[in-house]
Amino acid sequence: MFLVSEAEKPFDWEEILGVYKPQSCNLRAACCSVSTPSVPVDELMKMAADGDEFSRDFLSVFLPHANHQAARDFYPEQPDHIDRVLEMVSGQNTKVKMDPESVVFYHCQYLGENRLCQVYEDRPAFCRKYPSSPLNILVKGCGYEGWVASCKAKLLSLGYEVSGG
Ligand code: SF4
């Protein structure tokens, strides 16, 4: 899940926490297959119309899955991810409160059959920066899980409450 509030004005988490991301992911293409922004689609479209760069770029490459089951089927490596996100957004302690029915999952139109990006050299900035925040909900097995865990441990050690997956 992309935290849209942070995509608009991203913190430089690596600099702030001194925890540096790996140079590349493990190429499982989970974020390209079952992504979801932390706002409903009508809000995302309004933000794009108002010139928000992240929303515009997101909608320029991603296509919505027809429904939650279609998203599960599209990424069978981690079918539980969809339910994990839906559970988290409806939980009590979540940073992202959403009606699960309004959550839309997307897949990128440039993802090849081999699960490789077909426009890798020209991919949008948000793909290059992903995950822009350690509070994003990652698919289990994502190559950035270690970075997220280290950032959360650092935040906890500094006395911050940490939510997200
Ligand atoms: S443009 Fe490439 S890296 Fe970005 S979401 Fe699409 S397939 Fe993934």
Side-chain angles (χ1 to χ4, degrees), residues 32 62 108 110-111 117 119 123-124 127:
C32 316
F62 277 107
C108 182
Y110 298 116
L111 188 60
C117 176
V119 293
R123 67 198 188 285
C127 303

Side-chain angles (χ1 to χ4, degrees), residues 5-99:
S5 55
E6 288 199 17
E8 280 177 276
K9 292 182 187 158
F11 297 121
D12 190 340
W13 286 99
E14 293 183 273
E15 283 298 324
I16 292 169
L17 298 177
V19 181
Y20 294 93
K21 271 195 271 191
Q23 290 299 305
S24 64
C25 71
N26 56 12
L27 298 180
R28 293 189 179 180
C31 53
C32 316
S33 303
V34 284
S35 268
T36 182
S38 59
V39 295
V41 65
D42 52 345
E43 198 172 323
L44 194 70
M45 290 174 78
K46 183 174 179 318
M47 289 168 63
D50 290 344
D52 173 69
E53 186 184 343
F54 166 80
S55 312
R56 208 184 46 219
D57 285 352
F58 187 92
L59 290 170
S60 75
V61 300
F62 277 107
L63 302 172
H65 288 291
N67 51 46
H68 293 165
Q69 188 55 45
R72 289 184 192 97
D73 295 343
F74 193 87
Y75 199 74
E77 292 92 326
Q78 285 291 344
D80 293 349
H81 176 70
I82 305 303
D83 297 300
R84 217 172 109 240
V85 170
L86 298 177
E87 204 173 296
M88 281 183 171
V89 299
S90 53
Q92 291 300 316
N93 300 319
T94 182
K95 189 172 163 58
V96 182
K97 191 88 180 157
M98 286 176 79
D99 173 1

Side-chain angles (χ1 to χ4, degrees), residues 104-130:
V104 177
F105 292 87
Y106 298 79
H107 63 95
C108 182
Q109 60 182 304
Y110 298 116
L111 188 60
E113 282 181 15
N114 52 7
R115 297 229 185 236
L116 293 177
C117 176
Q118 305 300 296
V119 293
Y120 190 75
E121 294 303 324
D122 298 316
R123 67 198 188 285
F126 73 85
C127 303
R128 296 172 190 273
K129 292 177 194 159
Y130 187 83

